[in-house]
Amino acid sequence: MKLFDNYGRLIKDLRLSVTPRCNLHCLYCHPLDWEMTEPPGTISVEDVRNFLGAMRLLGLESVRFTGGEPLVRKELPEMIAAARELGIEDIAITTNGMLFKRKAKELKDAGLKRMNLSMDSVTPEVFRTMTRGGDVRRVWEAIETAFELGLGPVKLNAVMIRGMNEGEVIPLALLSLDKPLHVRFLEYMHLDNSNPELYRQRFIAGSETKTVIERHFGPLEKLEDDPSAPARLYRIPGAVGTVGFINPVMEPFCSNCSRLRLTSDKKLRPCLLTDLEMDIAWAFEAPNPLEALVDAILIATDRKPAFGNTLPTLRERVMVGIGG
Ligand code: SAM
């Protein structure tokens, strides 16, 4: 069976947040007063198995485990194994990489296929400032480990923020030259509501980042995009890897959205860019959870809006609580 929403979009991808906890505190993502515990009712391995089972009945093709930081959840390998046992082939994580080297082999053995690594900067001081204390050497180790284990493609995510990392564009783009790394520049989304004026000052359009790269390397070669993936892909002439631009603010990709999101507190979100979410905790407790979850997923899909709202607006959750 295939699942389509009311706008004819095929829903085949899931972002599954397994914890609200994170071991970094990125300035643009993680409020300092963020609760660092997993409250009772946080999604369990059994819940993950049931939810993926229900999504699978509806045609799920890929799942990305995220958070918070998914690697702080010790049950992550079991969750990945559950996905594999259900026949899901495309199993990915989005991680900051801090714990990856230590856990990589176990994750691969469980069924992990590929990863997105957050790396906003290659310069240690800039990285430390943006992540409030993170060590960029751990990201390098994570990249090496992924290559050693054959986990790929390895995509790097850099959220571009004026006054923080605009000087990192070229060093980041350079990473794609001689390694099969896919460096993706993300537009900063206004999810923390705190200060719209500051947000406007800090926002950098993807087109500006692309211009900086082309001024340095010359015109980029356009590559074929996966229509349901958010990145527009290019190659620096002669490079092994690629550069990509994810522009949710200036060029929203809602018309190709193929995703649902489940938060670690069991709220089903039809759209990242609205506050719309459905509390589906009841469905996990139902006598027949699979049936109840299928119903819940159908309702959420029915509520998927045609477009999200990319304007600065008051939001109830930031990324660390939704799962990117
Ligand atoms: N802890 C993991 C990590 O660091 O990759 C996974 C969770 S993190 C919320 C997922 C992605 O969301 C990261 O690549 C992060 O850079 C991105 N993100 C967080 N806040 C964002 C924002 N306001 N705008 C754009 N991207 C954001």
Side-chain angles (χ1 to χ4, degrees):
M1 169 168 179
K2 287 188 188 293
L3 180 60
F4 288 93
D5 72 3
N6 291 326
Y7 304 94
R9 295 172 296 196
L10 177 66
I11 307 304
K12 60 180 180 60
D13 303 318
L14 175 69
R15 299 282 165 91
L16 178 45
S17 175
V18 295
T19 178
R21 287 189 295 138
C22 190
N23 48 357
L24 290 181
H25 297 73
C26 299
L27 282 166
Y28 57 85
C29 180
H30 197 147
L32 278 180
D33 58 359
W34 185 252
E35 188 61 62
M36 286 300 285
T37 56
E38 272 150 21
T42 299
I43 196 158
S44 67
V45 177
E46 197 47 33
D47 294 334
V48 167
R49 186 170 292 117
N50 281 331
F51 191 77
L52 291 176
M55 286 288 305
R56 195 75 181 128
L57 290 174
L58 297 168
L60 181 75
E61 292 176 13
S62 79
V63 57
R64 171 176 298 286
F65 291 91
T66 180
E69 169 51 42
L71 271 67
V72 303
R73 193 68 202 263
K74 65 176 187 326
E75 301 91 342
L76 183 63
E78 283 175 78
M79 294 172 170
I80 289 175
R84 184 180 58 184
E85 282 154 22
L86 286 160
I88 301 170
E89 287 186 6
D90 187 10
I91 305 175
I93 52 172
T94 300
T95 173
N96 59 35
M98 297 296 112
L99 298 173
F100 186 71
K101 187 176 175 187
R102 181 140 65 84
K103 303 199 171 189
K105 175 80 173 61
E106 197 187 351
L107 295 171
K108 172 157 191 208
D109 290 346
L112 180 67
K113 289 282 160 17
R114 60 193 183 92
M115 62 196 289
N116 287 6
L117 266 165
S118 294
M119 191 188 207
D120 300 323
S121 156
V122 299
T123 307
E125 300 73 45
V126 179
F127 187 88
R128 199 176 309 122
T129 303
M130 283 185 80
T131 56
R132 294 193 182 100
D135 184 351
V136 76
R137 284 175 306 183
R138 301 258 197 110
V139 187
W140 292 119
E141 286 173 1
I143 295 171
E144 278 165 23
T145 308
F147 284 152
E148 278 162 24
L149 291 176
L151 288 167
V154 178
K155 298 179 184 174
L156 302 181
N157 286 348
V159 180
M160 299 314 298
I161 305 185
R162 203 179 310 285
M164 292 189 192
N165 64 344
E166 73 264 50
E168 299 292 308
V169 173
I170 301 305
L172 282 164
L174 276 168
L175 300 181
S176 72
L177 280 188
D178 56 2
K179 291 198 176 60
L181 282 171
H182 305 279
V183 183
R184 293 125 49 95
F185 297 92
L186 275 73
E187 284 180 348
Y188 173 34
M189 290 183 283
H190 189 256
L191 295 178
D192 76 350
N193 323 313
S194 48
N195 187 335
E197 188 44 44
L198 187 61
Y199 172 73
R200 271 185 210 102
Q201 289 166 17
R202 288 184 166 173
F203 176 76
I204 302 178
S207 56
E208 181 180 329
T209 304
K210 180 165 173 273
T211 303
V212 172
I213 296 176
E214 293 197 309
R215 225 180 267 141
H216 189 92
F217 295 100
L220 295 172
E221 291 169 14
K222 180 75 191 87
L223 303 176
E224 204 175 316
D225 299 317
D226 167 357
S228 71
R232 303 287 73 95
L233 297 179
Y234 296 83
R235 189 189 303 282
I236 298 171
V240 179
T242 64
V243 291
F245 300 91
I246 302 183
N247 302 338
V249 181
M250 299 305 279
E251 298 169 63
F253 27 83
C254 305
S255 56
N256 293 327
C257 184
S258 56
R259 280 174 284 280
L260 291 177
R261 289 182 147 79
L262 184 68
T263 65
S264 60
D265 56 354
K266 301 178 195 158
K267 310 278 194 310
L268 191 48
R269 291 185 66 111
C271 169
L272 172 65
L273 295 170
T274 65
D275 278 329
L276 193 63
E277 55 182 33
M278 283 171 53
D279 188 341
I280 60 161
W282 61 272
F284 290 91
E285 306 306 326
N288 184 343
L290 220 55
E291 202 174 284
L293 287 166
V294 165
D295 283 347
I297 294 162
L298 292 175
I299 296 168
T301 303
D302 192 54
R303 293 186 185 171
K304 215 169 149 54
F307 297 102
N309 179 5
T310 58
L311 300 171
T313 168
L314 197 70
R315 293 200 197 278
E316 285 163 17
R317 281 196 202 237
V318 289
M319 205 66 150
V320 70
I322 303 171

